[in-house]
Amino acid sequence: MFNEKLIRLSYDTEAKIQDIFKRYEIIAFNNQIKVLNAFKKYKISDIHFNSTSGYGYDDIGREVIDNIFAEVFGAEDCIVRHNIISGTHALATALFGVLRPGDIMLSVTGKPYDTLEEVIGIRGEKGNGSLEDYGISYHQIDLKDGKIDFQSIKEYLEKNKVKMVFIQRSKGYLDRPSLNIEKIKEISEFVKDIQKDIIVMVDNCYGEFVEEKEPTESGVDLMAGSLIKNPGGGMAETGGYIAGRKDLITLCSYRLTSPGIGKEVGATLNQNKNIIKGLFFAPHIVKEAIKTSVFAAALYESLNFEVNPSYSEKRTDIISSIKFNDKEKLIAFCQGIQMGSPIDSHVLPEPWAMPGYSDEVIMAAGTFTQGASIELSADAPIKHPYIAYLQGGLTYESGKFGILSSCNNLVEKGLIKL
Ligand SMILES: *Cc1c(COP(=O)(O)O)cnc(C)c1O
């Protein structure tokens, strides 16, 4: 199916990344132990797979899911729900849950993920119910040469009482490095040294299980993410989570349902087993996705494209961004990923104006679960310098096939030469 040269290139690429694969196998094993220990501690059993309808009172599966996630994330408490509809919903729930009129939210990693701009009120219509509409102010400190600007953070905190410091771990759709756990810990300690009651919150999307520790084990008070990314292990059909300090999770649960009701209610509609099984699979599946990303990075770097992070760099999320500097190459890459996907391999993705995003976006997502980006997927805003953000791969073998298919498409269109 692929030409001889591409096959040979794939073997050469694989030969040079074996040691890197080893590194992530060790991390996956240690994270698997964490997950199994949590299962043991909470005596996970068949009864937790039962479902409830209506109010969902006394749903022991739902309760135990919150406990095992909290345990694995080293957090005091957690709220995991299939009806948190996405990562954005989880993050918005957490922000609205803890921030109050007059508070200041300070992002120290520059512009937050695109879909949060309307949540915060820095994009979109006035009166849409953003944080800004409720009198919550937002300030951001941009990265300086791709690094945290500690000096500017210090100056801002010395002049302003800040309620929340916000950190985005993964690069998202930005051309910047992702922040590892060590750096997140350093930021957290730094800001709390200046204002000790500050709430440090992390957008943890794409970061879960990539390292051996999570932000909530490293000085962070609150974090949120999506179940159709890493922690759902490719099994969760939908959902999100918020983890952190118990008092804050209670506030978030009041926002998600209603004050006074919080976590006690919510029918699980047969989703418990998928979520529990997904957490069981997550360390392994994340490793498969990382291996796919490392393979892609090594392959495209050998073809002289700039890839971030480089194949050998230590990762803190599952994303590889590949800079094409060319619209046609970018589109051909994404279409090639789609051609090599298990689902909808026969359709061609095209750029479109997606809700919540400011530029046109092209998305390759031939996935079992719609839009699940723990499955092999590539997204790219159609703007200079034409960077594709690649992530996922439920199995390394299928991920590798998808990457080769993208490369093959570029070759067949005459856009690159091997
Ligand atoms: C995916 C993602 C989100 C949330 O996106 P959803 O599509 O709403 O799940 C937020 N932040 C980052 C960094 C992300 O990667």
Side-chain angles (χ1 to χ4, degrees):
M1 150 141 213
F2 300 128
N3 76 37
E4 193 71 11
K5 274 187 180 161
L6 183 53
I7 303 277
R8 219 173 318 123
L9 180 60
S10 87
Y11 288 135
D12 293 347
T13 302
E14 263 181 337
K16 73 177 177 200
I17 54 184
Q18 290 308 309
D19 285 352
I20 295 161
F21 283 2
K22 271 268 142 29
R23 184 195 298 164
Y24 294 105
E25 277 157 18
I26 294 167
I27 294 173
F29 182 59
N30 289 332
N31 282 326
Q32 191 71 64
I33 293 172
K34 258 184 172 176
V35 168
L36 290 172
N37 281 340
F39 276 44
K40 190 188 276 290
K41 176 168 175 182
Y42 286 99
K43 304 187 170 74
I44 297 300
S45 165
D46 206 39
I47 49 169
H48 297 122
F49 303 152
N50 286 340
S51 179
T52 50
S53 61
Y55 292 122
Y57 290 133
D58 302 317
D59 188 315
I60 58 170
R62 186 188 67 221
E63 289 165 12
V64 91
I65 287 170
D66 288 346
N67 290 333
I68 53 178
F69 269 76
E71 182 74 19
V72 169
F73 290 158
E76 284 175 13
D77 202 0
C78 194
I79 180 163
V80 187
R81 293 292 182 278
H82 75 271
N83 54 356
I84 294 179
I85 59 137
S86 66
T88 304
H89 186 200
L91 290 156
T93 303
L95 293 171
F96 279 103
V98 306
L99 295 169
R100 294 293 177 268
D103 285 348
I104 298 178
M105 167 186 177
L106 175 68
S107 166
V108 296
T109 44
K111 192 181 88 60
Y113 192 72
D114 296 46
T115 57
L116 289 183
E117 291 180 318
E118 283 181 74
V119 173
I120 293 166
I122 49 180
R123 185 164 58 83
E125 300 156 45
K126 281 217 177 309
N128 67 352
S130 67
L131 292 172
E132 194 201 9
D133 275 352
Y134 285 96
I136 296 155
S137 336
Y138 171 80
H139 184 78
Q140 86 186 27
I141 293 172
D142 289 327
L143 299 180
K144 210 169 149 188
D145 309 319
K147 293 205 171 74
I148 296 291
D149 184 355
F150 284 102
Q151 185 57 34
S152 300
I153 296 172
K154 182 160 183 269
E155 282 164 18
Y156 189 84
L157 289 178
E158 281 169 352
K159 290 200 202 92
N160 303 278
K161 178 89 186 98
V162 166
K163 177 75 164 283
M164 174 191 282
V165 161
F166 186 84
I167 299 168
Q168 184 180 306
R169 177 175 176 182
S170 170
K171 64 167 73 85
Y173 280 162
L174 292 176
D175 188 15
R176 59 112 159 149
S178 298
L179 292 184
N180 63 25
I181 293 293
E182 199 183 336
K183 189 54 81 182
I184 290 172
K185 184 161 189 264
E186 185 187 341
I187 299 168
S188 181
E189 286 167 357
F190 182 83
V191 299
K192 287 180 183 190
D193 259 357
I194 306 170
Q195 286 182 31
K196 74 171 179 357
D197 51 0
I198 235 163
I199 296 167
V200 177
M201 174 170 165
V202 169
D203 171 351
N204 203 33
C205 283
Y206 288 131
E208 300 88 354
F209 301 117
V210 176
E211 296 192 59
E212 288 181 17
K213 280 210 157 93
E214 294 300 331
T216 38
E217 296 172 278
S218 314
V220 164
D221 303 290
L222 198 60
M223 66 181 192
S226 164
L227 293 194
I228 60 168
K229 294 181 180 173
N230 306 12
M235 286 297 302
E237 300 267 5
T238 179
Y241 77 87
I242 310 169
R245 247 165 58 191
K246 196 168 186 64
D247 58 325
L248 300 178
I249 294 299
T250 300
L251 290 175
C252 296
S253 75
Y254 289 167
R255 171 70 197 195
L256 180 67
T257 63
S258 102
I261 291 175
K263 294 194 352 166
E264 308 302 318
V265 173
T268 50
L269 307 177
N270 264 317
Q271 296 305 309
N272 287 347
K273 185 174 177 179
N274 286 337
I275 293 175
I276 294 170
K277 203 169 169 187
L279 180 63
F280 165 78
F281 270 115
H284 173 77
I285 299 294
V286 167
K287 183 203 69 188
E288 297 294 289
I290 293 170
K291 284 169 78 169
T292 302
S293 238
V294 168
F295 176 78
L299 184 78
Y300 277 95
E301 277 173 79
S302 73
L303 295 167
N304 293 319
F305 289 98
E306 189 183 323
V307 184
N308 186 356
S310 166
Y311 77 91
S312 58
E313 258 175 87
K314 225 178 121 195
R315 277 158 201 270
T316 191
D317 64 24
I318 63 171
I319 304 179
S320 280
S321 58
I322 308 170
K323 198 178 280 183
F324 288 98
N325 285 314
D326 180 271
K327 185 174 168 181
E328 263 186 278
K329 285 181 187 159
L330 175 76
I331 292 174
F333 169 81
C334 292
Q335 292 181 338
I337 292 287
Q338 184 79 33
M339 292 171 191
S341 296
I343 310 300
D344 288 333
S345 58
H346 57 289
V347 305
L348 270 193
E350 296 285 352
W352 63 301
M354 207 183 148
Y357 295 87
S358 51
D359 300 289
E360 271 202 321
V361 177
I362 182 166
M363 289 199 160
T367 56
F368 291 90
T369 297
Q370 189 194 95
S373 43
I374 186 63
E375 301 184 43
L376 184 67
S377 48
D379 329 71
I382 304 296
K383 66 175 174 199
H384 188 79
Y386 300 105
I387 297 174
Y389 296 85
L390 171 85
Q391 64 274 317
L394 290 179
T395 65
Y396 171 62
E397 295 75 16
S398 63
K400 179 174 132 187
F401 181 81
I403 303 305
L404 290 175
S405 151
S406 72
C407 196
N408 192 55
N409 196 38
L410 282 157
V411 172
E412 284 196 346
K413 293 220 154 61
L415 295 166
I416 59 168
K417 266 213 178 76
L418 295 182

